[in-house]
Amino acid sequence: RGDQDIIFITIQKAYDELRDDDKRRAYDSAMSFDETIPGPDEGEGDEFYDTFAPVFKRNARFAAQHPVPDLGGVDDDEEHVEAFYSYWTHFESWRDFSKVAAEQAEVDLDDAGSREEKRWMQKEVKRQAKQLKKREMARVQELVDRARLKDPRLRRFREEDRARREAIKAQRRQARQQKEEGKRNAAAAKAEEARRKEEEAKEAARQAKLAKDKLKKQLRKLRNAIRRALLAAQDEAAAQARALDGEEGASAAALAEATEQQLDDQIKAVGDADGVAALQEVLDQITEEDDPVGAYETVTERKAELDKAALGEEEKRAAARAA
């Protein structure tokens, strides 16, 4: 009957442990478990999945958070892979090392001779269990780190990301170059435009000077011709005055003098391109007119027309400037 009591007590104790969640967790944690992880030289290339997947699946036994993501395969996208590693980086394990710690410390709380001894045993078990838990989590993190280092998908993602960043840099560099080239082209175009305008201004000034010199030359020739014609008319008028007596002679002489003065005034007043044509007309009239008096009247009328035309041109220019 004594042996039966021992068996009964053992069964009762086992039942109590299995019925209590904490004790059952400690019991399960003390069972044999393969804690090995792939070495630094294992799991290269295509062997990665077959090497690391079973290890993660084996350690998922102690996961406190569910569902536990699978390692996946070569075709997984970056979101799935990062979610997997995020889970295992922050892995929470329910594994309880209190029973293992008690066995290593070779203590049994039921054998404590006093309350103080029991508290010391509990403290020692707790201390060793904490160390074992810390070592366990370090082992899991080392597994995660080695997997990250070997995972060909992460390598591919890094290469793709590097390629994207290089492409962005190239685009930005090209945009800067295009912008700088645009500035250079704009500056060159502006300089070319300024040079062209300067050349055009110089050419226009040169042509204006040539035209002005030509006009001066024409005016000078006409003025000289008019003066010569005027002198001839004056001589003829003087001869007629000498032939006349008294008041008619004085009138003819005065008319000749007035004719000369009027023509001089007109020659001085006219100085543009229209003046060339006007002086040419005056010269033609003087040379064709036998009567100096008639020439004077003709010149006087022409001068009035020229003055009126000049006034009209000045009004037009004033209106153009105002607009």
Side-chain angles (χ1 to χ4, degrees), residues 38 42-43 48-56 71 143 146-147 150:
E42 297 180 87
F48 169 78
Y49 304 101
D50 293 336
T51 301
F52 281 89
V55 181
F56 278 106
L71 177 62
L143 169 64
R146 290 185 181 180
K150 301 291 184 178

Side-chain angles (χ1 to χ4, degrees), residues 11-74:
I11 294 174
Q12 184 64 41
K13 186 176 180 180
Y15 177 75
D16 291 340
E17 287 188 359
L18 295 177
R19 186 175 59 179
D20 186 286
D21 291 339
D22 292 337
K23 292 181 178 181
R24 180 170 182 172
R25 188 178 296 116
Y27 176 82
D28 291 341
S29 299
M31 294 180 64
S32 177
F33 177 72
D34 183 3
E35 297 182 350
T36 60
I37 62 175
D41 298 329
E42 297 180 87
E44 292 286 351
D46 295 337
E47 298 178 357
F48 169 78
Y49 304 101
D50 293 336
T51 301
F52 281 89
V55 181
F56 278 106
K57 190 172 183 179
R58 185 169 65 243
N59 283 272
R61 167 186 173 183
F62 300 111
Q65 298 292 333
H66 290 270
V68 180
D70 292 331
L71 177 62
V74 65

Side-chain angles (χ1 to χ4, degrees), residues 129-188:
K130 185 177 180 180
Q131 291 180 350
L132 292 172
K133 183 76 170 184
K134 184 177 180 180
R135 188 172 62 187
E136 165 72 0
M137 298 313 297
R139 183 186 65 82
V140 173
Q141 288 307 308
E142 186 176 7
L143 169 64
V144 175
D145 293 341
R146 290 185 181 180
R148 276 186 173 275
L149 187 63
K150 301 291 184 178
D151 197 329
R153 298 168 301 182
L154 293 179
R155 294 178 181 177
R156 186 179 76 245
F157 297 152
R158 285 194 293 268
E159 292 174 358
E160 292 175 352
D161 183 63
R162 188 182 302 110
R164 283 193 297 268
R165 285 187 278 107
E166 289 297 330
I168 293 174
K169 288 181 180 179
Q171 291 176 354
R172 292 176 178 173
R173 184 166 54 251
Q174 184 179 6
R176 287 196 300 269
Q177 292 175 350
Q178 290 177 348
K179 186 177 181 179
E180 292 173 358
E181 185 177 359
K183 289 182 178 179
R184 288 194 297 269
N185 292 338

